[in-house]
Amino acid sequence: MISLQNVSKYYPAGFGKTYVLRNITLDINEGEFVSIMGPSGSGKSTLLHILGMLEEPSEGEYLFFDQPVQKLSEKRRTELHRNYIGFVFQAYHLIDELTVYENIETPLLYKGMSSSERKSRVAELLDRFNMVAKKDLFPSQLSGGQQQLVGIARAVASQPKVIFADEPTGNLHSDHAKEIMDLFKKLNKEDGVTIVQVTHSEVNAEYGNRILRLKDGWLESFQVPSLERE
Amino acid sequence: MLRNYLTIAWRNILKDKFYSLINILGLTIGVTCGLLLLLYVTDELSFDRYHKKADQIYRIVSYITEPDKINKWQSTQPPLVTSLKRDYPFVENYVRFFPNGRVAFRQGEKRFYEEDVYAADSTVFDVFTHKFIEGDPKTALARPGSVVLTEKTARKFFGEGAALGQTLRTNDTTSYQVTGVIEDVPRNSHFTFNALLSLSPNERKADGWGGFYIVSYLVLPKNFDTSILESKFPQLYDKNMASIFKRMGIKITYQLQPLTSIHLYSKLDGEANGDISYVYIFSAVAFFMLLLASINYMNLATARSAKRSKEVGLRKVMGSLRSALMAQFLTESVLMTVLSLLLSLLFVALLLPFFNSVSGKEIQFRELIQPQFMLIALSIVVFTGFISGSYPAFYLSSFEPATVLKGSFNAKGGSFFRKTLVVVQFAISLIMLICTWIVYDQLNYMRDKDLGYDREQVLTIDYQDRQPRDRYNRLRSDLLANPNVRSVATASSPTSNIGGRVIFGVESNAGLKEMGFKPMGVDHDYLQTMGMKVVAGRAFSDKIPADTSNGVLVNQAAVKRMGWKEPLGKKVLLGGLPQAGQPAPPTALVVGVVKDFHQQSLYMPIEPMIMLYRPNNAVMHIKIDAKNADKTVEFIGQKWREIYPDHLFEYRFLDQDFESAYKADELRGRIFTAFSGLTILIACLGLFGLATFTTEQRVKEIGVRKVMGASVSSVVLLLSKDFTKLVLFSFPIAIPVAWYSMDRWLQHFPYKTDIGVWVFVLACVLTLLICWTTVVYQSIKAAIANPVKSLRSE
Ligand SMILES: Nc1ncnc2c1ncn2[C@@H]1O[C@H](COP(=O)(O)OP(=O)(O)OP(=O)(O)O)[C@@H](O)[C@H]1O
Ligand SMILES: [Mg+2]
């Protein structure tokens, strides 16, 4: 489903360039739960952005469902964002001017769903995430953990094939973090959503079936899954 | 999707109330002014269009070329249009208006002077469309001795009762039967009257080609090529006029003016019309006000971009196209402008009476809510919304989600554009300020200019008829018995408006020649009453009555035009050169030269003039003392009624008469002032918003500086510096533009003020002061705030 071939990313610096990612070759299959780890500044977010098509690689090739991403038009890429990809952020990044309900509804609007379909889909999500009572509140009226729940609900609303999560629990206490990670696990297991997360926590990384370690832009090790946990 | 946009837009408006207030206020001022100016312009463009045949009616006007001068007159000779109708079948109809001036009508005990009374051909209501309240337009003026009154005039005499069939008598034993009452002539007409008489027998017969005194209109076929008719004018001259005018070297031709272009385009001698250039100027002002309001919006919206950047990034991540985001931001700006349109309509309704009094118009609110006007207004407003929203939309939607969401976003971008816009705003404001200033300078200059005579405290009374003038001497001596009456004199026209032109035979350096001069009959008291100076020779005197036929006075302009080295004793033939077979006209000698004085408003240059000694003229001039002026006027009225029990006492003050000539310019000056004030206000609003925003952004920097020991004044200076720079940048842009356009505007005036450097300096200083006042409040607030607060909030 995702395949990187010798992907590098660099930024111009002075007369030369600084590499952030070097020669990354990587395959992620449908249904996987992948954790990316590494020290700060090692290029984790950059890699996730490239995977999520928010940034373009400087070199190398990226195939998403066998389509070369570099050749896609803006329109086509936007379509992929609408239908295949969901994002979850460390800072939640909800739209402050919209209520919980409306935040979850927004991606469905872009997808062009009819109003009745939207209603039932949002209602279903609110129910599933236990947010029904909070649906008319604004993000500023929620706790961090609740905001992240909304963030995830929003990410899964359009039923994406893959969710990219950049330190989704970075700002949360461990109780909340566990709740969120369990949720990811469930999504991965029950709905078959592919999940790629960036995390600093070994515990959270263990939720995945595979851990990628980045160091100075290099993909350092390739750890074979420790089979089933639990 | 639109609902989602509207929700977000609405919540954004509510969330940042200060920002929304400034934006809506700015837009509301802009849109209100825009609507008012649009009403003004629409009104100017609507002149004379209410006639059914408006596109077929032409006024025919005279171009009279003398050897050294071209006269453009509204009037023609009486037989002109009748002969055109007779000779050319394509002339569908015509109508002529014979001015009867001010007519005293009597109805039983009621007596009123009616201004603007004309006698007209019975075709008048075929040509022009006037709504009849009573009577039949087809026959109204068919019979001699008929009169059609306007509603206002009819009410004066007959109140609410029927006027039809009633009789009005004029002073000289003639009477008119009322055959119709029409609605008052709409104020958007270039030509207006209060009563129309049917032609008198003399007017009916009038066939002389020598006198230009009637106003003529033709009806021609639709889309007629007027050059076909204009090509016939040389023949007409040869056939009818050459015998009279050729030997004086005068050529005559005519011009056809489409009815609907008269008000804005016609510029004939002595005509006080609208002016198409003011339609352009006011449209431009309206455009600029909207532009300024849009700039405010753009500035504030982009300045606040950091606050919106996250939303942009998120929406893109969720699959929003850039175009969809642009649509969202445009929805916001259009919503904002539509809100201000609603507010503006309210303001326009409230301000309309005030605007009317400032502009001299009588625009009704219902003209505003006409569907057609509303459509224009709405489209302008939506357009303004689009312009305002376009740059922010373009700018905001360009944010890259990766950058924004990583948090490494800074709002530095767009700040050059913002600065440019502020410079543009202040340049426009400054241009308006300088222009207003110079317009007022010119108006004051005209009002204060030494006219060559003393116009203060002079009453003029126009004897309407010849016959009461017999008793002038008695009135004069009665009046002079009052010590507050300084002097009494008569002249053939009021000194504020000496019109006309007469051909005299004059002795030039190359023998006798015929030339046109402004004529004026004056008595021996006149020069002294008006405080006019004699620079050579002597004035008229009652001791030398022979001057009535032997002596004339000339002004300096006449001496200059004739090139006389020694003007005294030069011959003037009162009535042109002698003609074969006719008695020689009386010959007078120049006995004195009068210092040049202004004969009309300062729109007209001083013309060569010949003054004749006439002891008993139509217009009395009474100079009175400034103190007790009211009592003195009362006294004069009392004496007048004693001597002329049958005549109304109607007087004017010369200085007021004189100033009324500048009314149109003064009105336009006032509109201009109001709007330039508002332009500056809009610009300041924007600046205030921007200042608030930048100070907010720099709160932390200010805190750090203060902790390091910066004084309040140094912080204020730091914050004001940037804006000062922007305002300074606007000076070199505004000054040349303002100078150039005002220099061109002043070309219209033969007597004009110099554009002083100090106007520019003061206007610039004023602009700076206004800018500082706007910015300084925010800066001081930020500078005196406790730094710990702003630093801890991180
Ligand atoms: N626009 C840019 N220009 C230059 N360098 C950049 C740019 N964006 C990111 N970098 C650099 O790329 C490197 C990788 O950044 P990235 O955000 O991917 O790190 P990260 O692994 O996610 O770190 P963290 O764990 O702190 O989030 C950093 O050293 C950063 O300075
Ligand atoms: Mg990161």
Side-chain angles (χ1 to χ4, degrees):
Chain A
M1 156 184 198
I2 286 175
S3 165
L4 296 185
Q5 287 295 325
N6 296 323
V7 163
S8 296
K9 176 80 183 174
Y10 54 77
Y11 293 103
F15 292 103
K17 45 197 177 183
T18 15
Y19 274 89
V20 178
L21 294 175
R22 299 167 201 260
N23 250 337
I24 307 251
T25 300
L26 163 69
D27 280 289
I28 297 173
N29 297 319
E30 239 180 309
E32 273 198 276
F33 189 154
V34 178
S35 305
I36 304 176
M37 296 193 71
S40 193
S42 56
K44 303 183 296 293
S45 298
T46 309
L47 177 59
L48 200 71
H49 286 151
I50 289 178
L51 293 174
M53 299 173 211
L54 299 177
E55 279 179 78
E56 299 205 5
S58 316
E59 295 163 359
E61 200 186 21
Y62 175 14
L63 298 176
F64 187 79
F65 280 104
D66 301 329
Q67 299 176 60
V69 169
Q70 295 94 311
K71 298 209 180 80
L72 295 179
S73 64
E74 195 207 324
K75 212 167 160 185
R76 183 81 190 101
R77 206 171 304 173
T78 308
E79 251 165 56
L80 292 179
H81 278 144
R82 285 179 191 172
N83 299 313
Y84 289 85
I85 300 174
F87 281 95
V88 176
F89 305 93
Q90 174 176 4
Y92 328 129
H93 284 330
L94 302 176
I95 298 181
D96 299 329
E97 288 77 25
L98 294 181
T99 61
V100 166
Y101 184 98
E102 289 160 341
N103 261 296
I104 299 175
E105 186 190 27
T106 307
L108 305 179
L109 285 169
Y110 287 117
K111 221 177 164 181
M113 256 187 205
S114 78
S115 119
S116 58
E117 270 182 290
R118 279 198 317 260
K119 245 190 211 142
S120 62
R121 176 84 183 127
V122 177
E124 180 196 323
L125 285 164
L126 286 170
D127 199 36
R128 178 163 168 196
F129 287 82
N130 274 327
M131 302 288 301
V132 179
K134 305 260 186 311
K135 73 177 169 58
D136 289 325
L137 296 183
F138 286 93
S140 56
Q141 298 164 313
L142 299 178
S143 74
Q146 289 165 332
Q147 290 193 45
Q148 195 58 297
L149 279 180
V150 178
I152 296 171
R154 182 181 62 183
V156 298
S158 58
Q159 292 170 310
K161 291 270 184 291
V162 51
I163 288 178
F164 296 106
D166 195 349
E167 300 185 41
T169 59
N171 285 2
L172 298 177
H173 291 296
S174 48
D175 298 358
H176 277 136
K178 186 168 179 319
E179 196 182 326
I180 298 288
M181 290 316 298
D182 288 338
L183 192 59
F184 274 125
K185 187 86 202 159
K186 215 167 136 205
L187 281 170
N188 179 248
K189 273 261 155 63
E190 292 171 13
D191 303 30
V193 182
T194 311
I195 290 174
V196 182
Q197 70 157 342
V198 167
T199 180
H200 280 287
S201 138
E202 289 288 349
V203 180
N204 292 344
E206 292 298 321
Y207 280 84
N209 60 336
R210 176 151 73 115
I211 297 176
L212 303 175
R213 292 191 191 273
L214 274 178
K215 195 162 184 238
D216 295 335
W218 296 101
L219 200 52
E220 210 180 38
S221 64
F222 192 71
Q223 192 173 337
V224 184
S226 59
L227 291 170
E228 287 299 289
R229 283 164 37 90
E230 255 145 301
Chain B
M1 187 53 83
L2 187 67
R3 243 197 53 214
N4 189 273
Y5 291 168
L6 283 174
T7 327
I8 269 234
W10 181 245
R11 290 202 189 128
N12 266 314
I13 288 177
L14 291 184
K15 188 174 135 200
D16 206 337
K17 295 208 180 59
F18 171 76
Y19 161 82
S20 314
L21 187 76
I22 290 210
N23 261 335
I24 293 186
L25 206 61
L27 283 169
T28 304
I29 297 176
V31 172
T32 307
C33 296
L35 286 181
L36 286 173
L37 288 167
L38 188 64
L39 279 171
Y40 183 94
V41 168
T42 321
D43 189 77
E44 284 288 289
L45 294 174
S46 75
F47 266 67
D48 297 308
R49 291 188 197 270
Y50 60 90
H51 297 292
K52 283 209 183 70
K53 294 183 184 161
D55 56 337
Q56 285 178 270
I57 302 174
Y58 296 81
R59 181 169 73 173
I60 181 161
V61 299
S62 312
Y63 279 45
I64 296 157
T65 316
E66 289 182 57
D68 55 353
K69 189 169 186 279
I70 298 182
N71 302 291
K72 298 175 188 170
W73 286 349
Q74 301 169 56
S75 48
T76 67
Q77 309 101 314
L80 173 66
V81 282
T82 46
S83 74
L84 290 176
K85 170 92 170 93
R86 193 182 55 233
D87 296 345
Y88 304 109
F90 52 75
V91 175
E92 290 180 8
N93 209 342
Y94 69 83
V95 61
R96 299 168 299 166
F97 292 89
F98 291 72
N100 283 28
R102 195 152 79 129
V103 174
F105 284 110
R106 216 182 311 187
Q107 204 270 329
E109 286 298 289
K110 288 186 191 150
R111 280 160 10 103
F112 297 105
Y113 275 116
E114 281 310 322
E115 305 271 352
D116 299 323
V117 176
Y118 294 83
D121 288 301
S122 61
T123 49
V124 59
F125 301 116
D126 282 343
V127 177
F128 293 108
T129 312
H130 289 288
K131 216 178 195 169
F132 270 69
I133 300 170
E134 294 181 73
D136 177 6
K138 291 206 182 57
T139 58
L141 291 181
R143 274 188 304 121
S146 308
V147 61
V148 171
L149 302 175
T150 60
E151 197 179 354
K152 194 178 78 196
T153 315
R155 293 271 167 275
K156 262 204 265 184
F157 288 100
F158 308 107
E160 296 300 309
L164 202 67
Q166 302 270 24
T167 304
L168 288 181
R169 288 153 47 74
T170 53
N171 259 351
D172 44 357
T173 64
T174 33
S175 68
Y176 293 91
Q177 197 185 27
V178 179
T179 52
V181 177
I182 58 171
E183 282 183 357
D184 290 342
V185 179
R187 57 192 171 69
N188 51 350
S189 310
H190 78 282
F191 174 79
T192 183
F193 53 83
N194 292 314
L196 288 181
L197 310 172
S198 50
L199 297 188
S200 70
N202 277 339
E203 287 164 342
R204 208 172 279 268
K205 280 194 302 234
D207 61 355
W209 287 88
F212 296 78
Y213 61 96
I214 64 148
V215 191
S216 315
Y217 298 85
L218 292 177
V219 179
L220 297 175
K222 274 194 187 348
N223 305 321
F224 186 74
D225 176 8
T226 52
S227 64
I228 296 173
L229 187 54
E230 277 163 349
S231 68
K232 317 281 191 203
F233 294 146
Q235 278 163 257
L236 204 68
Y237 176 78
D238 291 342
K239 191 173 146 206
N240 299 305
M241 289 162 268
S243 59
I244 309 170
F245 293 107
K246 199 154 194 175
R247 61 189 176 83
M248 301 182 213
I250 294 177
K251 287 199 206 74
I252 292 160
T253 187
Y254 303 96
Q255 197 207 353
L256 292 167
Q257 301 179 315
L259 181 69
T260 48
S261 70
I262 293 175
H263 175 68
L264 290 175
Y265 293 93
S266 180
K267 290 240 181 319
L268 305 175
D269 299 349
E271 204 174 26
N273 267 348
D275 191 326
I276 189 69
S277 50
Y278 287 102
V279 170
Y280 292 138
I281 290 175
F282 284 148
S283 308
V285 171
F287 173 77
F288 280 133
M289 305 216 65
L290 289 174
L291 181 69
L292 250 56
S294 305
I295 288 181
N296 273 357
Y297 186 93
M298 291 192 221
N299 271 342
L300 292 176
T302 49
R304 278 171 86 248
S305 56
K307 291 192 183 174
R308 301 301 292 277
S309 58
K310 189 178 95 183
E311 183 190 337
V312 172
L314 282 170
R315 284 183 182 272
K316 280 196 173 175
V317 160
M318 287 186 277
S320 168
L321 281 175
R322 185 165 179 194
S323 56
L325 279 163
M326 290 180 72
Q328 183 193 337
F329 287 115
L330 284 175
T331 315
E332 272 187 47
S333 61
V334 172
L335 178 71
M336 206 69 119
T337 41
V338 169
L339 278 180
S340 22
L341 173 65
L342 297 177
L343 273 176
S344 301
L345 286 176
L346 188 76
F347 278 120
V348 170
L350 291 174
L351 288 175
L352 208 51
F354 173 71
F355 181 72
N356 279 336
S357 79
V358 169
S359 65
K361 294 255 175 226
E362 286 169 36
I363 298 165
Q364 311 285 322
F365 184 70
R366 67 182 140 76
E367 289 169 51
L368 181 69
I369 47 177
Q370 303 270 328
Q372 202 186 342
F373 186 84
M374 285 308 287
L375 204 69
I376 299 175
L378 196 68
S379 40
I380 289 179
V381 163
V382 170
F383 182 72
T384 309
F386 265 98
I387 297 288
S388 312
S390 58
Y391 178 72
F394 173 79
Y395 174 67
L396 287 168
S397 66
S398 71
F399 296 156
E400 283 306 326
T403 335
V404 174
L405 299 176
K406 244 192 245 171
S408 61
F409 174 79
N410 66 9
K412 276 271 159 24
S415 82
F416 175 75
F417 184 76
R418 254 187 334 264
K419 285 179 183 161
T420 315
L421 289 181
V422 173
V423 172
V424 169
Q425 274 190 317
F426 273 89
I428 293 174
S429 307
L430 188 57
I431 290 171
M432 296 275 290
L433 185 64
I434 295 174
C435 291
T436 315
W437 205 311
I438 293 175
V439 167
Y440 267 86
D441 255 12
Q442 172 66 15
L443 287 173
N444 279 334
Y445 170 85
M446 291 200 291
R447 230 177 277 126
D448 298 342
K449 183 162 191 322
D450 179 16
L451 298 176
Y453 63 87
D454 187 4
R455 64 177 182 275
E456 315 277 295
Q457 309 297 337
V458 178
L459 252 76
T460 61
I461 305 175
D462 200 339
Y463 277 117
Q464 296 294 312
D465 307 306
R466 218 169 164 99
Q467 149 248 337
R469 293 195 213 164
D470 308 343
R471 282 163 277 168
Y472 164 69
N473 279 332
R474 204 184 122 200
L475 177 64
R476 176 174 181 269
S477 51
D478 277 8
L479 292 181
L480 287 174
N482 182 329
N484 284 330
V485 175
R486 292 226 203 121
S487 175
V488 182
T490 67
S492 53
S493 35
T495 311
S496 54
N497 190 8
I498 304 166
R501 200 154 227 269
V502 164
I503 306 289
F504 292 90
V506 272
E507 179 181 346
S508 74
N509 296 335
L512 279 179
K513 245 169 101 179
E514 283 197 312
M515 281 182 135
F517 289 85
K518 227 176 231 304
M520 189 184 201
V522 299
D523 66 10
H524 49 265
D525 294 314
Y526 178 74
L527 292 187
Q528 175 247 324
T529 303
M530 298 311 302
M532 291 170 181
K533 300 224 162 46
V534 175
V535 290
R538 58 174 177 82
F540 295 133
S541 155
D542 52 349
K543 311 250 161 36
I544 316 172
D547 274 350
T548 44
S549 51
N550 293 344
V552 294
L553 298 175
V554 294
N555 67 354
Q556 290 171 309
V559 175
K560 192 164 162 218
R561 184 196 197 189
M562 299 309 299
W564 286 333
K565 290 231 166 51
E566 176 46 67
L568 298 182
K570 289 284 185 302
K571 278 193 211 123
V572 173
L573 279 63
L574 309 181
L577 291 185
Q579 304 231 16
Q582 288 186 359
T587 304
L589 301 180
V590 175
V591 297
V593 179
V594 178
K595 187 164 174 253
D596 273 343
F597 63 92
H598 283 273
Q599 303 133 329
Q600 277 166 312
S601 71
L602 291 173
Y603 296 121
M604 307 282 205
I606 296 177
E607 288 191 38
M609 169 173 210
I610 290 179
M611 287 175 146
L612 308 166
Y613 184 30
R614 298 280 179 273
N616 218 343
N617 302 292
V619 184
M620 211 189 313
H621 289 65
I622 306 170
K623 172 92 181 172
I624 62 172
D625 258 348
K627 66 171 198 300
N628 295 333
D630 291 349
K631 282 234 178 62
T632 314
V633 172
E634 212 170 283
F635 165 79
I636 297 170
Q638 182 195 329
K639 287 290 162 203
W640 174 276
R641 281 184 286 269
E642 266 172 37
I643 297 175
Y644 304 118
D646 291 345
H647 291 81
L648 292 176
F649 173 62
E650 286 202 21
Y651 66 93
R652 296 171 194 268
F653 276 106
L654 202 57
D655 49 352
Q656 286 168 8
D657 247 19
F658 177 78
E659 288 196 1
S660 68
Y662 308 126
K663 206 176 136 210
D665 262 321
E666 188 154 346
L667 290 177
R668 290 190 284 241
R670 290 210 299 242
I671 301 181
F672 212 71
T673 315
F675 287 109
S676 67
L678 288 169
T679 316
I680 296 172
L681 182 65
I682 297 183
C684 285
L685 262 181
L687 193 62
F688 185 69
L690 216 52
T692 313
F693 181 78
T694 36
T695 5
E696 239 171 56
Q697 271 191 324
R698 293 173 74 170
V699 160
K700 204 165 152 201
E701 176 198 339
I702 295 166
V704 173
R705 281 176 191 272
K706 280 189 75 177
V707 168
M708 292 187 302
S711 67
V712 170
S713 59
S714 75
V715 171
V716 171
L717 204 67
L718 175 81
L719 291 172
S720 317
K721 207 177 64 192
D722 289 349
F723 289 111
T724 308
K725 256 193 259 166
L726 297 185
V727 173
L728 287 177
F729 266 124
S730 71
F731 293 172
I733 302 170
I735 290 173
V737 176
W739 183 83
Y740 174 77
S741 43
M742 287 329 274
D743 192 56
R744 278 198 50 187
W745 181 72
L746 285 173
Q747 300 302 321
H748 295 301
F749 299 90
Y751 303 97
K752 50 182 172 274
T753 172
D754 295 321
I755 302 183
V757 178
W758 57 272
V759 172
F760 294 96
V761 175
L762 285 182
C764 289
V765 170
L766 190 65
T767 311
L768 259 185
L769 285 181
I770 293 173
C771 155
W772 279 332
T773 337
T774 314
V775 176
V776 134
Y777 168 74
Q778 288 300 333
S779 313
I780 292 182
K781 206 173 95 179
I784 59 179
N786 185 348
V788 180
K789 256 189 198 160
S790 57
L791 293 179
R792 201 181 276 156
S793 73
E794 195 53 12

